[in-house]
């Protein structure tokens, strides 16, 4: 069981996808194939389990959802690629830290393919370029399996990030792929990033379904 199912979900409400991730994780067995979900969300702030209210400065009518992933507050909106990684860590013999590192490395590989450099920070998960954050990572582990994942800024309105302290860091600036890859789309980035995820997570093959 070393294939992965790729699901392209399009634009979906955060709450619905979150509930679907929980249900999938609760119902999966040791024989259930891992899945990677690619999705965009309408504007929403999500607050991690230990998130502090003071990091939400002024939400400006954007809904705030308290969720069960790790980390502090972040923003999701159209033009951002959200990748949910539903991985059996026990089967893959991965620690949580190792999974985070592989997710970060996959984004770094994607950016390197665009002839740009990016890096991770051990004390602040995610991917950065020139001290600006381009990708956030937040996971939840249940019964040895992960859900939630990463959010990569592709071609979006970054303004709502100024309404919060992103990931709990005041004055943290955000950046995105379209600043240096003008014609990039969420779908294009998703297809390319998926290839690096399949490789770095060690899957033999992948099967895909769209807009389920």
């Amino acid at each position: 069981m070393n294939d992965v199912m790729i699901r392209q979900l399009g634009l979906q409400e955060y709450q619905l996808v979150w509930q679907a991730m929980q249900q999938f994780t609760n119902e999966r067995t040791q024989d259930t194939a891992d899945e990677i979900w690619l999705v965009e969300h309408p504007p929403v702030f999500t607050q991690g389990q230990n998130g502090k209210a003071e990091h939400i400065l002024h939400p400006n009518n954007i809904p705030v959802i308290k969720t069960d992933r790790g980390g502090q507050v972040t923003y999701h909106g159209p033009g951002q690629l959200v990748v949910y990684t539903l991985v059996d860590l026990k089967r893959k013999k991965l620690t949580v830290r190792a999974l985070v590192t592989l997710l970060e490395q996959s984004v770094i590989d994607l950016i390197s393919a665009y002839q740009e450099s990016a890096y991770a920070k051990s004390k602040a998960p995610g991917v950065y370029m020139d001290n600006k954050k381009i990708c956030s990572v937040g996971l939840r582990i249940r019964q040895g399996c992960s859900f939630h994942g990463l959010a990569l800024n592709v071609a979006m309105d970054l303004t709502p990030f100024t309404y919060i302290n992103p990931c709990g860091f005041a004055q943290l600036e955000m950046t995105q792929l379209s600043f240096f890859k003008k014609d990039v789309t969420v779908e294009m980035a998703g297809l390319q990033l998926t290839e690096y995820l399949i490789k770095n997570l060690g899957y033999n093959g992948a099967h895909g379904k769209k807009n389920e």
Side-chain angles (χ1 to χ4, degrees):
M1 181 61 66
N2 198 30
D3 284 0
V4 63
M5 172 67 73
I6 310 296
R7 298 188 189 273
Q8 299 181 49
L9 304 181
L11 183 67
Q12 299 269 358
E13 291 287 344
Y14 179 84
Q15 196 94 25
L16 294 176
V17 181
W18 175 27
Q19 290 168 353
M21 281 192 292
Q22 291 177 311
Q23 182 177 355
F24 175 87
T25 303
N26 289 339
E27 294 177 357
R28 69 180 300 172
T29 70
Q30 62 183 11
D31 298 319
T32 302
D34 292 343
E35 298 198 2
I36 294 174
W37 297 359
L38 294 87
V39 64
E40 290 177 81
H41 293 306
V44 63
F45 293 115
T46 62
Q47 179 74 285
Q49 275 189 303
N50 300 313
K52 297 179 180 178
E54 62 260 32
H55 292 310
I56 302 171
L57 307 177
H58 41 92
N60 284 27
N61 297 319
I62 296 174
V64 180
I65 295 178
K66 180 80 172 176
T67 185
D68 59 351
R69 61 161 171 78
Q72 298 280 336
V73 66
T74 194
Y75 171 72
H76 301 304
Q80 181 189 68
L81 172 64
V82 182
V83 181
Y84 292 127
T85 49
L86 308 169
V87 178
D88 186 332
L89 298 184
K90 289 187 294 185
R91 187 165 62 206
K92 282 209 156 290
K93 298 180 173 61
L94 285 174
T95 63
V96 180
R97 180 65 249 185
L99 177 57
V100 170
T101 297
L102 290 170
L103 297 182
E104 292 169 335
Q105 186 58 50
S106 298
V107 174
I108 292 169
D109 289 345
L110 171 65
I111 293 169
S112 295
Y114 294 160
Q115 278 71 57
E116 298 286 341
S117 60
Y119 54 92
K121 294 182 179 181
S122 59
K123 294 183 179 179
V127 178
Y128 300 80
M129 301 177 70
D130 297 324
N131 290 317
K132 298 178 181 179
K133 194 166 194 177
I134 194 167
C135 177
S136 301
V137 178
L139 297 172
R140 175 70 188 270
I141 310 300
R142 183 177 293 166
Q143 297 176 328
C145 297
S146 70
F147 57 109
H148 295 286
L150 64 86
L152 173 64
N153 302 336
V154 178
M156 63 187 299
D157 179 5
L158 296 175
T159 305
F161 282 107
T162 66
Y163 306 159
I164 60 173
N165 291 328
C167 306
F169 293 98
Q171 310 301 318
L172 176 62
E173 289 188 61
M174 308 297 287
T175 187
Q176 59 183 332
L177 294 181
S178 63
F179 287 169
F180 56 86
K181 177 77 171 173
K182 298 299 184 186
D183 60 346
V184 70
T185 65
V186 169
E187 185 174 11
M188 179 196 307
L191 290 171
Q192 294 170 326
L193 181 58
T194 298
E195 292 301 316
Y196 290 112
L197 288 168
I198 292 169
K199 175 186 173 185
N200 290 338
L201 291 170
Y203 293 111
N204 292 333
H207 309 282
K209 292 189 177 181
K210 191 167 185 177
N211 294 333
E212 293 205 345

